[in-house]
Amino acid sequence: MRSSSPTSIPSTMSSSSSSKKQALFISSLIVLWYSSNIGVLLLNKYLLSNYGFRFPIFLTMCHMSACAILSYLSIVFFKMVPLQPVKSRHQLFKIATLSVVFCGSVVGGNISLRYLPVSFNQAVGATTPFFTAVFAYLMTFKREAWVTYAALVPVVAGVVIASGGEPGFHLYGFIMCISATAARAFKSVLQGILLSSEGEKLNSMNLLLYMSPIAVLVLLPAAIIMEPNVLEVTLSLGRQHKYMWLLLILNSTMAYSANLSNFLVTKHTSALTLQVLGNAKGAVAVVISIFIFRNPVTFVGIAGYSMTVAGVVAYGEAKRRFR
């Protein structure tokens, strides 16, 4: 008995030290995830509404360009995840389809930020589970338990209430925000359908590696046609504000960091943890945006957003229990 104690104590200490390092690592990932997501959201709002850079398509193209370059460096050079090659033209076509839908969701979200406060933008974005459930039912005929669908009622009702109590409500911005939310949900359902076979499954980082260059090719002509003076105005802003280029580079890098940290948090935590963290992230973004941009909020708006978040939490819990 005595002879075993000297070896068991170091072993216990080593295990405790390893657990602390793992907890610190996961905490750092969560901080990176929060700061990247909230940072890119707030910086998008600042550039598009307060800074005079009114080019959401070009801004999205900058994001996708950074994602293409940094994804290539992360996977090919730094080998953060194994490279998963595209095996056929058919698979490439599926990825291209997802890329176009992804472009639509990001551009729509950026356009909405020109007209809506971040707080209301996040309230509408919280309805993603509703659209995901609708598209999953329409496209795969996958049915959930009635309790799960019932949980979606406060999700939608909350946004309706928040819309009525939003002082900065803008119909076009609202339509674009709803469209972006629906496109984001459609992309997640479509991804599950198109890349469902074992031979075609890609992790999110490899999918981003292939989607980003396609997105740039789609967004470039769109920016040229729909935002014809983008280069002229961008260069002019660059001369007027010495930090203009730094803001664009930082914003684009944070867009990639948001995707990378989301992948890493998903990998190192459970699905339930990710869901809880995601719900809290939206609330944190709302609070920070109100302090920074000083947009007016009403009790009705706060109550509506709270109802939506509560509905999202209930929906996630119902899905977990009634699988």
Side-chain angles (χ1 to χ4, degrees):
M1 292 292 291
R2 288 180 180 178
S3 62
S4 64
S5 58
T7 56
S8 62
I9 293 174
S11 175
T12 304
M13 291 176 63
S14 175
S15 176
S16 176
S17 175
S18 176
S19 298
K20 287 181 180 179
K21 287 181 180 179
Q22 179 71 5
L24 181 62
F25 174 69
I26 293 175
S27 298
S28 301
L29 286 180
I30 293 171
V31 170
L32 176 63
W33 184 44
Y34 267 50
S35 58
S36 298
N37 277 272
I38 296 173
V40 75
L41 178 68
L42 298 178
L43 201 49
N44 282 350
K45 176 64 177 177
Y46 178 70
L47 286 168
L48 293 168
S49 294
N50 298 52
Y51 201 78
F53 185 81
R54 305 186 184 281
F55 305 105
I57 298 176
F58 181 76
L59 182 63
T60 305
M61 192 183 77
C62 291
H63 291 177
M64 293 298 101
S65 299
C67 287
I69 295 168
L70 295 175
S71 291
Y72 184 81
L73 292 174
S74 298
I75 295 174
V76 176
F77 282 93
F78 297 109
K79 302 187 184 303
M80 293 184 67
V81 295
L83 176 65
Q84 297 173 290
V86 175
K87 298 179 179 179
S88 66
R89 289 184 180 180
H90 187 57
Q91 185 185 14
L92 182 61
F93 175 77
K94 292 177 179 180
I95 294 170
T97 303
L98 290 172
S99 181
V100 172
V101 176
F102 182 59
C103 281
S105 69
V106 178
V107 170
N110 285 340
I111 291 174
S112 73
L113 285 172
R114 279 191 58 187
Y115 303 99
L116 299 176
V118 172
S119 54
F120 186 57
N121 176 279
Q122 288 295 285
V124 177
T127 61
T128 301
F130 168 77
F131 290 103
T132 303
V134 170
F135 286 128
Y137 178 77
L138 293 176
M139 297 170 67
T140 66
F141 301 105
K142 179 183 177 182
R143 294 187 179 184
E144 305 283 356
W146 70 268
V147 177
T148 306
Y149 289 121
L152 291 171
V153 174
V155 173
V156 178
V159 170
V160 173
I161 293 170
S163 300
E166 175 53 52
F169 181 83
H170 190 285
L171 181 59
Y172 177 67
F174 177 72
I175 291 171
M176 293 309 299
C177 195
I178 282 286
S179 301
T181 304
R184 188 161 54 245
F186 181 63
K187 184 251 176 188
S188 67
V189 176
L190 194 64
Q191 181 176 332
I193 296 171
L194 295 183
L195 301 178
S196 58
S197 66
E198 285 300 320
E200 293 185 335
K201 280 184 180 178
L202 298 172
N203 64 47
S204 60
M205 295 313 299
N206 274 274
L207 186 59
L208 186 66
L209 171 67
Y210 295 120
M211 284 200 313
S212 300
I214 297 171
V216 173
L217 293 176
V218 172
L219 292 167
L220 180 59
I224 292 172
I225 295 169
M226 301 176 71
E227 300 171 344
N229 61 336
V230 59
L231 289 179
E232 179 186 344
V233 174
T234 303
L235 291 172
S236 176
L237 285 172
R239 288 191 291 267
Q240 293 174 30
H241 308 284
K242 59 181 179 179
Y243 296 115
M244 172 67 189
W245 300 109
L246 180 61
L247 286 176
L248 272 180
I249 293 171
L250 176 63
N251 185 240
S252 301
T253 304
M254 288 174 73
Y256 172 73
S257 178
N259 284 283
L260 174 63
S261 56
N262 183 75
F263 169 76
L264 292 174
V265 170
T266 305
K267 181 179 178 182
H268 292 280
T269 64
S270 66
L272 180 60
T273 302
L274 188 73
Q275 180 189 342
V276 173
L277 290 171
N279 293 333
K281 177 170 60 68
V284 172
V286 168
V287 173
I288 293 175
S289 71
I290 292 171
F291 276 111
I292 292 177
F293 297 109
R294 304 290 181 183
N295 57 284
V297 292
T298 64
F299 174 77
V300 174
I302 294 173
Y305 178 66
S306 300
M307 182 183 291
T308 295
V309 173
V312 170
V313 172
Y315 173 76
E317 183 64 16
K319 278 200 74 173
R320 187 177 68 84
R321 290 193 177 190
F322 295 96
R323 277 180 181 174

